[in-house]
Amino acid sequence: MFPPFGYYLLQERFCNMPELPEVETIRGQLDEALAGREVTEVEVLRSKSFSGDPRVLEGKRVKEIKRKAKVIEVYFEGAKEMVIVHLKMTGQLIFVDGEKRIVGGHPTADRIRELPSKHTRVVWNFKDRSKLFFNDMRVFGWMRVVDTDKYQKDAKNMIPDVTDSHFTPVYLFDLLKRSKAVKLVLLDQDKLGGLGNIYVNDALFLAGISPDRKADSINKTEAIKLHSAIVQVIKLGIKYGGASASNYVQVSGLGGTYQDHFLVYKKEGQKCSRCGGIIKKIKLGGRGTFYCPGCQK
Ligand SMILES: [Zn+2]
């Protein structure tokens, strides 16, 4: 069921935050695994990783797991409270049910080792003896008990993420009315949620727009094209279960395969699939930026 141990060590790096497709993949698999299970006790091993009263979850049955941008939302049947989770850079969720183990998040040896490990911060115990472990090496991630009504009210005012219906070509065009490089505008998580380095590079390639072009030089027609390119790459990312080139690997223990479908990301020196030009790598805002000077203007 699990790939060789070395596989995890190879993946042990901190180069990418999880991107939205990776979080969506984890969400879907946790939804399937946890729905209907009743919590008996939540043990908090590191207080920084958990806020709220864990006791309010006792006796509650998981209803469903949703997502807003990169926040994983756990809803319970008939409960006033819910739990929200952010994995940040090194968070892992590992669900263990007898012999079965399903894993999401940062890939380390903890995935196959005895649990809890020294990185385990929170443990959910379910009535049927299955357990959910929240591990987080660098302790940037968090689990929070929040009031469901209040959270949903706040969530309405949150900036849209690229899978929201509020993310429209008009919203994008407005967002681009800034003089910064287009790539940096798209990565600004305060304006648009869920778009990270891998998918931004590929979306700009699809749209034929150079990453260092000033955002406010992009006209309406180009903005429409860019919007559809963003939607398309995120859909592809979700379809392939995310990219295991990042820290994130699917719950089932194996990585996503979006990396087999990268358009320009990490392809410097290779031929462009569209014009045959050579893909270039530059730094923009400190991040690796990949594009084809031949067909991205
Ligand atoms: Zn090209």
Side-chain angles (χ1 to χ4, degrees):
M1 180 177 172
F2 298 106
F5 187 68
Y7 172 85
Y8 296 104
L9 298 181
L10 278 174
Q11 303 259 330
E12 189 126 12
R13 48 189 182 162
F14 302 101
C15 54
N16 285 303
M17 301 273 284
E19 297 215 17
L20 195 137
E22 286 77 51
V23 177
E24 172 56 19
T25 303
I26 291 162
R27 182 211 63 80
Q29 292 179 306
L30 282 180
D31 183 50
E32 214 167 282
L34 297 184
R37 297 197 196 245
E38 186 184 323
V39 177
T40 48
E41 194 194 1
V42 173
E43 301 165 72
V44 178
L45 309 181
R46 174 92 181 238
S47 60
K48 191 185 173 226
S49 301
F50 194 94
S51 71
D53 184 356
R55 285 169 306 182
V56 302
L57 305 175
E58 290 170 11
K60 299 287 188 296
R61 200 181 285 273
V62 177
K63 187 178 167 199
E64 59 183 334
I65 300 184
K66 294 183 168 182
R67 175 188 59 77
K68 173 85 183 169
K70 292 180 191 171
V71 175
I72 296 169
E73 309 168 334
V74 184
Y75 290 86
F76 298 89
E77 283 170 19
K80 205 174 137 317
E81 293 87 5
M82 61 184 287
V83 171
I84 50 176
V85 187
H86 203 305
L87 297 172
K88 295 285 177 173
M89 290 178 83
T90 59
Q92 300 174 317
L93 287 166
I94 303 181
F95 177 68
V96 179
D97 183 11
E99 291 292 292
K100 189 174 150 200
R101 182 179 287 215
I102 50 180
V103 189
H106 183 61
T108 66
D110 281 346
R111 289 167 158 262
I112 45 175
R113 278 188 187 145
E114 194 88 4
L115 292 168
S117 76
K118 64 177 177 180
H119 303 127
T120 300
R121 310 304 179 199
V122 184
V123 186
W124 292 25
N125 295 284
F126 295 98
K127 200 176 179 181
D128 61 5
R129 291 171 176 252
S130 58
K131 288 171 192 277
L132 177 70
F133 296 89
F134 175 44
N135 293 348
D136 190 8
M137 194 192 293
R138 293 171 78 182
V139 208
F140 293 131
W142 44 256
M143 232 176 212
R144 290 177 189 156
V145 177
V146 293
D147 182 272
T148 308
D149 288 344
K150 190 180 178 305
Y151 171 79
Q152 286 181 329
K153 221 168 137 192
D154 293 346
K156 264 190 201 147
N157 300 323
M158 270 168 71
I159 48 111
D161 78 55
V162 288
T163 56
D164 270 352
S165 56
H166 296 103
F167 176 60
T168 59
V170 174
Y171 183 90
L172 179 64
F173 188 59
D174 270 355
L175 190 68
L176 294 173
K177 289 173 183 161
R178 293 156 77 190
S179 60
K180 276 208 294 195
V182 57
K183 187 191 171 203
L184 300 181
V185 171
L186 294 177
L187 283 174
D188 184 350
Q189 300 295 312
D190 293 333
K191 303 277 191 242
L192 181 63
L195 205 53
N197 200 33
I198 295 175
Y199 299 94
V200 163
N201 276 288
D202 281 359
L204 286 166
F205 171 77
L206 264 190
I209 295 171
S210 184
D212 60 357
R213 202 169 131 192
K214 289 221 186 311
D216 56 8
S217 74
I218 288 167
N219 65 34
K220 256 188 190 152
T221 315
E222 289 173 309
I224 292 168
K225 208 172 165 191
L226 180 56
H227 176 268
S228 107
I230 291 169
V231 171
Q232 198 181 331
V233 293
I234 290 294
K235 265 195 190 149
L236 272 182
I238 292 170
K239 181 177 165 193
Y240 295 116
S244 61
S246 75
N247 286 339
Y248 279 71
V249 174
Q250 280 185 48
V251 163
S252 60
L254 290 167
T257 58
Y258 181 75
Q259 70 275 13
D260 300 335
H261 306 272
F262 285 161
L263 301 170
V264 282
Y265 185 75
K266 293 257 164 95
K267 290 206 165 191
E268 71 271 29
Q270 296 184 36
K271 261 192 180 170
C272 165
S273 57
R274 191 161 47 198
C275 75
I278 299 297
I279 293 164
K280 219 176 136 180
K281 180 184 180 181
I282 55 167
K283 283 252 172 179
L284 211 54
R287 311 286 303 271
T289 301
F290 307 84
Y291 73 108
C292 171
C295 60
Q296 286 178 258
K297 301 293 176 193

